[in-house]
Amino acid sequence: TKTNDKIKILILTDSLYEHGIWSYNERESFLKNLFEKLQEDKTILFDLKIHPTTEDKTYYQRLSNKLGLSAKIFQSEDLYDLINAYDIIVTYGTSTAHTELSLCGKKTILIATKHLPTFVMVDEAIAAGHVKRCNSFTDLIPLIHNFHKQEINLAKEFVEQRTKYFYKFDGKSGDRAADSIIQFLETVKSKSN
């Protein structure tokens, strides 16, 4: 039972600037708009999880101080150690973490940025309803409130697609991988003879 009247958001950043997809000004503008929009609603608390190796924590600390944020900035912490303390993950860009959040059914809002591709299972999670796409900062606050109230049950179709992509969670994946490697080597050997 939730007794806290605040909605706790974890912002999962992306290294778009560090990978040359965004300019410094594009990153700065996007983050300032995001943080200022979230600060408008006093029922929303948010913290940041930045990339463990490619992003500069000092940049986020300076920006946080400049904007008067009280957000915690996590970097070396494991995402899975953090997500259960938050109601919703808000993220952007393109990241394998989006696939991981999709697979585990965590409520995630993906803010659209340019025309970046999504990774495996993200589109399926959007169709299933536990990942929401946000196309404009003006839609973000209402989306957070509506999504917070929504109960998530992984759709049967989503679970079937997840099983198709990632096979079985039966503890025998190592055996299947070894069998596939042996089969591949036997095929190569028979073709060379």
Side-chain angles (χ1 to χ4, degrees), residues 30-182:
F30 179 88
L31 292 173
K32 283 173 69 174
N33 287 333
L34 173 60
F35 300 157
E36 288 171 355
K37 178 54 72 178
L38 291 174
Q39 282 185 301
E40 288 176 10
D41 190 317
K42 301 305 177 206
T43 66
I44 294 175
L45 301 174
F46 66 91
D47 293 321
L48 308 174
K49 170 66 171 98
I50 67 175
H51 194 277
T53 58
T54 60
E55 290 189 285
D56 180 10
K57 190 171 185 177
T58 307
Y59 166 79
Y60 285 95
Q61 290 167 331
R62 282 196 301 259
L63 182 60
S64 180
N65 290 337
K66 183 172 150 183
L67 298 175
L69 303 180
S70 60
K72 294 176 192 154
I73 303 170
F74 301 105
Q75 184 168 28
S76 59
E77 295 82 358
D78 186 84
L79 178 62
Y80 293 105
D81 291 338
L82 298 173
I83 61 174
N84 286 329
Y86 294 89
D87 301 307
I88 299 173
I89 308 299
V90 172
T91 188
Y92 56 90
T94 184
S95 170
T96 55
H98 299 166
T99 293
E100 294 168 17
L101 292 166
S102 298
L103 289 172
C104 68
K106 184 67 181 175
K107 288 182 181 181
T108 302
I109 296 175
L110 181 59
I111 300 173
T113 50
K114 293 191 179 183
H115 297 290
L116 296 173
T118 56
F119 280 106
V120 174
M121 294 303 294
V122 175
D123 290 332
E124 291 85 347
I126 291 169
H130 60 275
V131 173
K132 303 282 185 187
R133 189 180 305 272
C134 180
N135 294 315
S136 167
F137 284 125
T138 58
D139 300 331
L140 184 58
I141 300 298
L143 180 58
I144 288 171
H145 282 282
N146 290 334
F147 201 19
H148 185 248
K149 295 174 193 167
Q150 182 180 334
E151 187 173 323
I152 297 297
N153 294 311
L154 293 183
K156 179 183 175 196
E157 295 81 11
F158 177 80
V159 173
E160 287 171 356
Q161 288 173 329
R162 181 176 67 182
T163 302
K164 180 180 115 186
Y165 278 116
F166 295 97
Y167 207 62
K168 298 175 183 172
F169 298 99
D170 59 2
K172 297 180 182 178
S173 60
D175 292 340
R176 285 189 292 277
D179 290 343
S180 293
I181 291 168
I182 291 168

